[in-house]
Amino acid sequence: MDLCAQLISPMDTQLPQFKGEIFVTRQHHYLYIYSKKQIPISKIANLMESFGIGVSDLISFQLEGVYVYKFLPLREIGEEVAKRLFQIIQQALEGRLPERCQLYQFLTLGLTLREMWLLHGLLKYESQLILEYSENFISSVAIEYSPIVLKILDYFFEKFNPDRSPRKLQELEEEIQQDLKEVKGLTEDRVIQLLFWIVKSIVRTNYYLEKESISFKVEVSNLWRFLNGIQPLWEGFVYHPRFYGLHLRMSKISRGGLRWSNRYEDLREEIKSLMITQEAKNAIIVPEGAKGGFVIFEKNLSKEEFKGFYSQFIDALLDLIDIGENPRIVKYDREDFYFVVAADKGTADMSDVANEIAIKRGYLLKDAFASGGSKGYNHKELGVTAKGAIRSAARHFLEIGKDIYRDPISVVGVGSMRGDVFGNGMLINPNFRLLAAISHREIFIDPAPDPAVAYRERLRLFKEGLGWSSYDRTKISKGGGVFDRTQKSIPLSPEIRKMLKTEKEVMSGEELVRELLKMEVELLYFGGIGTYIKSSDETNQDVGDKENEGVRVNGDEVKAFAICEGANLALTQKGRIEYAKRGGRLNLDAIDNSAGVNTSDYEVNLKILLNQLTEKGVISEIEKDEILFSLTDWVLERVLENNYYQSLIISIDQRRVKKRDFIEILNILEENIKFFKRKHFAIPKNEGIEGVIKDEQVVRPILGILLLYSKILVKKYLLLESFIDSQLARRFYNSYFPANLRNFDHPLRREITATAIANYIINRTGIRFLRNFNPQLLEKQVQCYLVLDELIGAEEIRREILNQDLKMPVEVQYTLLAQIEESLYFGTQWMVRHYRKFKNIDIYRIVKYRGEVKEFISRR
């Protein structure tokens, strides 16, 4: 008799009654799995191994058309644990739960499935905080020290269960601290210590709402000692067995996009880098920087499936902010009412979905929660990001007497005409000579384009939402074409060889992309996602973005006259510096493509105000929408003005900021902004400061960073001062809104006022406004500057000078503008020194003498 025959008992000839595809039970010491479909034995063995339970004597046979799997567990399983275990085995074999999960072992230690998912979420979050340890390693440490981990979970339950009294927290914490002393090994100690500190730092969770997605909000400043680099202050984390996501905020008044990412292993690193970029970009708007993203474990999703995951992500994040009072959520942080998101990669058409959820849940901001959508500004239709980027880049050409909007300018670009930033950007000037474009999959080359013909074809592709492969080949100049970026061998026509100045007759797709990026061209325009330029001393591993490793070039290899960063992170900061040191002209992404976030911020703040007026019955819902859309051109004009002024003041600062000023301002920013670190922005220490200076001028990417952080610094200190509530400051608050919406109150009135003042001053004075910075004197300095500025009618004079673009030599313009600021600087310094003489005078009344002052100046 063979082994199988010996193992089959008389009981195995009876088929139990069960519904569904799979049934799991126990008879005597054996486990039985009954399935209507065949299951590989290895699958069952692997699943049991995940529970830490080996198997022996595993046999399979058929009974009345049902597949039966019988085996002996190598560990004793208690009755209560067995009930839970059987349900999970059944769901895993049916594909509703993962087959392999180390943490299943905690189910045999008494955790429920939901408690195990909470632990999984906590460990997943920890693996995102410290990338040097894999998630598998962190899980194995948690299993090794399961008694301590179970106590940490008890601490979580005691802290957040609304039905428990948290009196035991102190006692539990003392026990855990004592147990931590028994952890062997520095690495293991760090893993368990950090897990405990994560739980201690959680201030809200939706765990007791019993939703599928588990979310928690972390006060990250408590974890800084475990982490490196710039970190957010607040972070929301969402875990679901089929996806996970996070949202990072620099403060509670922060905003930024939510993206669908494919970076499963290091999502937080991607989002953190984007948040830091957003923080600088948000210097010109009211909220600070934020960014969010999520990863879905499954592929080939339908639109409805994706919408479902996105909706759960949004809903779980909304559980972490103030939406009424929910007795099932225990809060350890103060008021948190401002949570605003924007469309991003993969979520461009999700704004209406997000707003629908916010409105349904009764969120204060209603349809101001997610900018864009059917009741917001459509960035692609407006082309706002591209328009802002070209407005910023126009400065590079204006300085050599060229008009970026009309003159023939040769361009190599990254992106596709169906894309928002690239497509809109390449339609701004009908005389752009687009020689080549690189998209995710294709390479477009037109060695000698007819501008009029090419423009019409680009316009067609843009309107029809088509890629380069749909470009009419008859409209491409001789020798050009559209090629697959992944091709191993692309024959080069004589025209392409001439354009590239190469003798090679064949190149791979990747080599061709590299050569195009290094071409001698007037403008290199980035409108697509990816990091294409690094510095020569950076490795691809330093950069990330594995997808573009094969085509990436170094900054000192790029020969374009100027670069426009319509897209984020097209260059590393070191790559920008290296290109600028070679003589190239560029700003940085946070300067060039700020118009999109600026527009969204106007939209959100206008909606907040209009929603208030609607609730009070001042206007109807229909009128609210009509007013918002009627202001579109007004908003665009304000936004593009910011792009113009920022690029302008960087040029003036290049000529005025000397090495001594530069070092002084760097020190001021480091001392007064906790998250401003030279290292992050590739700014060397003082002894190596020449590394970012060329021909006695600080390179533009560095000046751009300092410009934005100077605004952040001014905003920070103004918000601490009573001046924000003065009559003079009120003028700047009112100027933020169109005439018909002024003098209404707004929940972010102080933030709007501080932002408007910081933008006005730093856009005109540049970073030298921070010379001799003293926090105690800033309020007086700002007040005196603004009074003098209005008293002499400085803004009218500036506008007269700037109206001479491409008529008056730029150096003359820059000199005249600098003279205005020097006069205001010395006048401000004098007023600050003699401020006590004005203390009993309403300083704003001085402005009443503006006419007399102007007449006096004109006589001189």
Side-chain angles (χ1 to χ4, degrees):
M1 185 181 292
D2 62 21
L3 179 62
C4 288
Q6 292 179 35
L7 291 174
I8 295 175
S9 68
M11 295 180 65
D12 297 335
T13 61
Q14 298 176 359
L15 186 68
Q17 295 294 316
F18 66 96
K19 296 179 181 179
E21 293 292 317
I22 294 175
F23 176 67
V24 185
T25 188
R26 177 163 59 180
Q27 294 181 21
H28 300 302
H29 296 292
Y30 284 93
L31 286 186
Y32 287 80
I33 297 174
Y34 298 91
S35 174
K36 293 178 182 177
K37 293 181 181 178
Q38 191 170 9
I39 304 170
I41 289 177
S42 60
K43 191 173 184 177
I44 295 172
N46 289 336
L47 178 59
M48 298 307 296
E49 189 180 322
S50 290
F51 292 106
I53 302 170
V55 299
S56 71
D57 300 342
L58 198 159
I59 63 168
S60 66
F61 54 92
Q62 280 187 282
L63 186 63
E64 299 179 24
V66 173
Y67 294 92
V68 183
Y69 303 88
K70 175 183 177 182
F71 56 91
L72 190 67
L74 293 180
R75 260 178 60 189
E76 186 62 34
I77 306 171
E79 198 61 39
E80 286 301 314
V81 171
K83 288 179 183 178
R84 291 199 298 269
L85 214 59
F86 295 168
Q87 293 175 350
I88 291 157
I89 292 171
Q90 180 179 326
Q91 291 178 53
L93 293 176
E94 288 175 348
R96 290 185 284 148
L97 289 177
E99 291 170 22
R100 280 182 172 274
C101 176
Q102 287 174 283
L103 298 182
Y104 281 154
Q105 294 190 41
F106 277 90
L107 298 172
T108 66
L109 300 175
L111 291 190
T112 65
L113 182 61
R114 181 164 175 77
E115 289 168 344
M116 190 212 75
W117 287 136
L118 169 64
L119 177 59
H120 202 164
L122 292 168
L123 296 180
K124 167 69 77 176
Y125 177 61
E126 181 172 4
S127 74
Q128 291 294 303
L129 289 177
I130 46 174
L131 291 174
E132 58 264 45
Y133 307 144
S134 70
E135 186 180 344
N136 284 341
F137 175 76
I138 290 172
S139 296
S140 66
V141 173
I143 292 166
E144 182 181 355
Y145 291 95
S146 56
I148 304 177
V149 170
L150 291 172
K151 280 188 181 179
I152 293 173
L153 286 177
D154 283 341
Y155 185 93
F156 177 94
F157 302 141
E158 196 69 39
K159 183 177 180 180
F160 290 107
N161 189 335
D163 301 323
R164 291 191 194 182
S165 169
R167 286 177 297 178
K168 292 183 182 177
L169 276 182
Q170 185 62 38
E171 183 182 325
L172 261 174
E173 180 166 352
E174 290 172 3
E175 281 185 35
I176 293 168
Q177 294 288 11
Q178 192 63 36
D179 291 347
L180 285 169
K181 295 177 182 178
E182 304 303 316
V183 177
K184 298 175 182 178
L186 292 174
T187 301
E188 289 79 359
D189 181 66
R190 186 184 181 202
V191 168
I192 303 299
Q193 284 272 8
L194 180 54
L195 176 63
F196 183 44
W197 272 94
I198 287 170
V199 174
K200 285 185 68 175
S201 302
I202 295 174
V203 294
R204 299 192 198 192
T205 178
N206 76 346
Y207 180 76
Y208 287 98
L209 299 183
E210 300 296 332
K211 294 184 177 182
E212 282 187 27
S213 298
I214 297 171
S215 64
F216 47 83
K217 179 163 68 176
V218 181
E219 189 172 357
V220 188
S221 56
N222 293 333
L223 305 177
W224 283 354
R225 64 193 180 96
F226 293 96
L227 310 175
N228 298 315
I230 297 174
Q231 298 292 336
L233 287 177
W234 301 97
E235 184 164 352
F237 189 84
V238 178
Y239 180 78
H240 185 282
R242 299 171 70 186
F243 76 89
Y244 81 94
L246 37 78
H247 186 257
L248 282 59
R249 294 193 282 170
M250 292 301 287
S251 74
K252 285 193 174 179
I253 307 294
S254 300
R255 75 177 301 276
L258 291 180
R259 64 171 36 203
W260 179 22
S261 177
N262 58 3
R263 285 175 63 168
Y264 175 88
E265 298 294 339
D266 65 343
L267 173 65
R268 188 178 187 273
E269 198 64 21
E270 176 191 30
I271 301 304
K272 187 178 74 164
S273 296
L274 291 165
M275 178 206 67
I276 293 166
T277 299
Q278 196 72 43
E279 172 68 5
K281 193 183 297 186
N282 282 17
I284 66 171
I285 67 171
V286 174
E288 292 191 52
K291 207 71 176 181
F294 58 99
V295 168
I296 300 171
F297 303 147
E298 299 161 30
K299 296 182 179 179
N300 303 317
L301 299 170
S302 68
K303 190 170 183 179
E304 280 306 306
E305 286 174 320
F306 175 77
K307 179 182 174 182
F309 289 128
Y310 177 82
S311 298
Q312 287 191 70
F313 182 46
I314 290 289
D315 186 61
L317 288 174
L318 285 171
D319 288 331
L320 304 177
I321 61 164
D322 297 334
I323 303 181
E325 285 297 324
N326 191 323
R328 303 301 296 168
I329 292 183
V330 178
K331 297 191 293 188
Y332 290 86
D333 63 329
R334 290 181 292 176
E335 182 182 68
D336 189 2
F337 75 94
Y338 186 91
F339 175 40
V340 176
V341 300
D344 206 304
K345 176 187 173 187
T347 63
D349 56 352
M350 286 289 121
S351 293
D352 283 345
V353 174
N355 283 329
E356 186 181 327
I357 295 168
I359 293 168
K360 185 177 179 181
R361 293 198 53 178
Y363 181 35
L364 172 72
L365 297 188
K366 298 182 179 179
D367 61 353
F369 169 52
S371 56
S374 59
K375 291 191 175 183
Y377 297 136
N378 185 309
H379 287 206
K380 186 170 183 178
E381 285 182 11
L382 297 177
V384 61
T385 305
K387 288 175 181 175
I390 293 295
R391 179 67 64 93
S392 294
R395 178 63 43 187
H396 309 312
F397 292 90
L398 189 149
E399 290 178 351
I400 59 169
K402 282 199 168 189
D403 185 348
I404 200 171
Y405 295 97
R406 293 186 180 88
D407 291 340
I409 291 174
S410 58
V411 182
V412 167
V414 172
S416 167
M417 284 309 300
R418 65 183 162 206
D420 168 16
V421 182
F422 188 87
N424 277 301
M426 289 299 99
L427 295 175
I428 286 175
N429 180 354
N431 292 314
F432 275 150
R433 297 178 60 251
L434 183 62
L435 304 180
I438 303 148
S439 70
H440 181 61
R441 294 189 180 91
E442 299 160 330
I443 304 169
F444 166 79
I445 299 180
D446 193 359
D450 179 319
V453 171
Y455 176 81
R456 286 194 294 271
E457 184 63 4
R458 291 201 300 272
L459 181 61
R460 181 184 72 82
L461 294 183
F462 180 75
K463 286 183 174 180
E464 296 178 16
L466 301 173
W468 294 118
S469 59
S470 300
Y471 200 102
D472 186 341
R473 302 300 198 275
T474 66
K475 294 176 180 175
I476 298 177
S477 61
K478 184 182 178 183
V482 179
F483 311 96
D484 187 335
R485 188 169 143 172
T486 63
Q487 277 182 250
K488 292 183 178 180
S489 178
I490 299 175
L492 303 182
S493 66
E495 291 77 14
I496 293 178
R497 294 204 302 275
K498 181 181 178 183
M499 182 182 80
L500 294 176
K501 297 182 179 178
T502 181
E503 299 298 321
K504 289 188 176 182
E505 296 185 354
V506 176
M507 287 185 185
S508 68
E510 289 188 341
E511 187 180 5
L512 181 54
V513 169
R514 290 195 299 270
E515 291 304 310
L516 292 172
L517 292 171
K518 295 187 289 184
M519 266 181 61
E520 288 186 23
V521 68
E522 289 173 286
L523 179 64
L524 182 53
Y525 181 75
F526 286 99
I529 294 168
T531 304
Y532 287 84
I533 301 175
K534 64 177 184 64
S535 71
S536 54
D537 64 353
E538 287 179 298
T539 66
N540 282 318
Q541 190 174 0
D542 295 331
V543 177
D545 183 27
K546 292 183 179 180
E547 191 173 334
N548 290 299
E549 278 185 4
V551 299
R552 194 169 294 129
V553 299
N554 296 330
D556 59 3
E557 297 178 294
V558 179
K559 304 178 189 69
F561 167 76
I563 290 177
C564 178
E565 291 188 69
N568 285 326
L569 306 177
L571 295 84
T572 67
Q573 181 68 349
K574 286 185 176 180
R576 292 186 188 108
I577 293 167
E578 190 168 270
Y579 168 73
K581 288 274 285 184
R582 191 199 63 77
R585 303 192 184 209
L586 83 169
N587 301 308
L588 68 153
D589 51 1
I591 294 288
D592 283 353
N593 65 44
S594 65
V597 70
N598 203 355
T599 301
S600 294
D601 192 53
Y602 268 106
E603 177 191 327
V604 168
N605 289 322
L606 286 168
K607 279 183 174 178
I608 290 172
L609 184 57
L610 291 169
N611 280 334
Q612 288 183 164
L613 297 178
T614 305
E615 287 174 3
K616 292 175 181 177
V618 178
I619 58 175
S620 68
E621 191 72 30
I622 294 173
E623 287 173 321
K624 182 196 86 170
D625 295 339
E626 289 175 348
I627 292 170
L628 182 70
F629 287 116
S630 73
L631 294 173
T632 303
D633 290 340
W634 182 87
V635 169
L636 283 181
E637 184 180 340
R638 302 294 295 273
V639 165
L640 297 178
E641 185 178 82
N642 244 334
N643 286 93
Y644 177 89
Y645 269 106
Q646 289 196 143
S647 189
L648 166 67
I649 198 60
I650 291 173
S651 285
I652 295 174
D653 274 349
Q654 265 197 302
R655 290 152 174 80
R656 297 174 67 212
V657 174
K658 303 306 177 188
K659 182 177 175 180
R660 185 178 63 182
D661 292 334
F662 177 45
I663 292 174
E664 180 190 356
I665 293 162
L666 275 175
N667 292 337
I668 288 166
L669 292 175
E670 284 184 300
E671 289 167 12
N672 291 278
I673 301 179
K674 182 176 289 187
F675 49 82
F676 180 86
K677 306 293 181 187
R678 292 194 193 194
K679 181 180 179 181
H680 181 78
F681 303 111
I683 303 172
K685 295 179 180 178
N686 291 350
E687 56 268 25
I689 209 70
E690 292 294 334
V692 292
I693 295 175
K694 175 180 170 58
D695 300 332
E696 299 185 354
Q697 293 185 349
V698 182
V699 295
R700 293 181 72 92
I702 299 298
L703 288 173
I705 286 292
L706 268 56
L707 176 77
L708 297 173
Y709 276 90
S710 295
K711 292 184 178 185
I712 291 170
L713 180 62
V714 171
K715 280 201 291 184
K716 172 187 170 183
Y717 280 102
L718 282 179
L719 284 169
L720 302 175
E721 306 291 352
S722 60
F723 168 67
I724 285 294
D725 305 308
S726 70
Q727 186 181 359
L728 180 56
R730 184 78 187 193
R731 286 180 53 251
F732 283 87
Y733 168 73
N734 280 332
S735 71
Y736 181 87
F737 296 101
N740 60 333
L741 293 178
R742 290 174 184 171
N743 296 312
F744 292 107
D745 206 15
H746 193 287
L748 298 178
R749 177 186 58 78
R750 300 188 92 253
E751 288 82 2
I752 288 171
T753 306
T755 301
I757 291 173
N759 271 328
Y760 184 86
I761 292 177
I762 302 299
N763 276 352
R764 287 152 182 80
T765 67
I767 64 176
R768 296 177 86 229
F769 185 77
L770 298 185
R771 284 178 294 173
N772 307 313
F773 175 78
N774 183 335
Q776 282 72 44
L777 295 178
L778 181 70
E779 181 182 21
K780 296 174 185 175
Q781 188 180 355
V782 166
Q783 193 175 6
C784 293
Y785 176 89
L786 294 177
V787 167
L788 285 174
D789 182 79
E790 186 166 338
L791 189 60
I792 67 171
E795 189 65 0
E796 294 172 15
I797 302 169
R798 292 186 193 101
R799 291 192 181 278
E800 286 181 22
I801 296 167
L802 295 175
N803 284 338
Q804 299 302 307
D805 280 352
L806 293 171
K807 300 173 186 174
M808 180 187 293
V810 289
E811 297 302 332
V812 175
Q813 286 181 301
Y814 294 166
T815 299
L816 292 172
L817 291 169
Q819 286 173 351
I820 293 172
E821 298 310 323
E822 283 302 302
S823 298
L824 286 170
Y825 173 76
F826 287 115
T828 299
Q829 294 298 100
W830 180 86
M831 280 190 75
V832 169
R833 283 197 302 271
H834 298 86
Y835 193 82
R836 269 187 274 179
K837 295 179 180 179
F838 304 105
K839 68 179 180 180
N840 296 320
I841 302 172
D842 181 354
I843 198 166
Y844 184 63
R845 291 178 182 272
I846 298 173
V847 176
K848 292 173 63 176
Y849 297 99
R850 178 181 171 186
E852 287 84 345
V853 171
K854 193 173 181 181
E855 183 182 347
F856 174 74
I857 292 173
S858 63
R859 285 177 184 173
R860 289 172 63 87

